[in-house]
Amino acid sequence: MSMHRLFDRRSALIAIMSALAAVPQGARASETIAGVLAPTGTLRIAVFAGSPISFLEDPRTGEQRGVSYALGHRLAQHLGVGVEVIRCRTAAEVMELIAAGGADFATTNATASRAQAADFSRPLLHIGLGYLVPAGSRISSIGEIDQPGVRIGATAGSSTLRSLPGMLQHARVIGVPTLPESRAMLRTGAIEAFATNKAILHEIGDGLPGSRVLDGEWGAETHAAAIPKGRQAALPFFNAFIEEAMRSGAVRGAATAAGLRGFRLPNWAHPLESSRESKE
């Protein structure tokens, strides 16, 4: 490790911690930065069920986890405010809440169109896009997806539903209301494959014995933390908070705890090494 790189890394960490330290914590923060990031006095975290990137709940134990869920709680702790978790049916509903100011924080695929409705942090996670097929599927590889008569599901309002049809010549893309319904549609044969990021595909596949996430990718998503537009006064704190969470390992820890598979951390989180891919 060169002294120059070591100095750069230490300088970056000092700058991040200084920015966080400059913002008063606890009750004082609620009167300043927290008044902007959590205007109701409670940080409202928008999540959608079925995604380890957003929110999962163990039906037996009630344990709750997810990157958005964990990172939102961490932010609330830094601000000294309470938390309200708002459960949505889809990622599209999450973005609608953020855009309307009905929620204060979320993590989601940071597309150009969504950036018009929210302010995003630097990238948190890169996740490949793929396909899940049920047991006994006639489709054995990603190259066999685009065939006449093949029905591919994608969540209603998702970036996948908007972008995938333009990439296919023969297969038909069908909107699926929610992630849980995608599992049922694969089981009954209403769709022959489901398309989204691989983290969600693995989660859906866990409840479908014999199903497979096909090798290869048809694209990738870049996930980041989002807050409503119009809160520029809090952006320096927000961005410093995200950088500290990345470099301290809090984001990787939340992803691991949620069972997130198939993700990569962005290069900026590890300035002295290439991004590392998790085990699938």
Side-chain angles (χ1 to χ4, degrees), residues 17-43:
M17 296 309 295
S18 296
L20 285 171
V23 180
Q25 300 291 306
R28 290 186 182 179
S30 68
E31 298 171 2
T32 54
I33 298 301
V36 178
L37 290 177
T40 65
T42 300
L43 188 73

Side-chain angles (χ1 to χ4, degrees), residues 53-129:
I53 307 164
S54 188
F55 180 79
L56 296 172
E57 184 171 22
D58 190 310
R60 295 172 300 172
T61 66
E63 177 193 6
Q64 298 175 340
R65 60 194 190 280
V67 176
S68 189
Y69 176 84
L71 198 57
H73 278 75
R74 184 182 178 88
L75 176 58
Q77 184 178 23
H78 274 277
L79 296 173
V81 300
V83 169
E84 177 187 358
V85 178
I86 303 176
R87 303 191 192 193
C88 302
R89 298 172 72 233
T90 64
E93 288 185 9
V94 167
M95 283 308 303
E96 288 173 5
L97 268 181
I98 291 290
D104 306 309
F105 178 86
T107 60
T108 186
N109 182 22
T111 64
S113 61
R114 289 177 177 177
Q116 297 176 12
D119 282 324
F120 282 99
S121 69
R122 296 178 75 177
L124 299 175
L125 302 165
H126 296 308
I127 308 173
L129 293 162

Side-chain angles (χ1 to χ4, degrees), residues 181-198:
E181 289 175 79
S182 68
R183 186 181 288 123
M185 292 176 72
L186 283 167
R187 187 179 291 115
T188 62
I191 55 176
E192 294 178 77
F194 187 73
T196 187
N197 69 66
K198 287 195 170 185

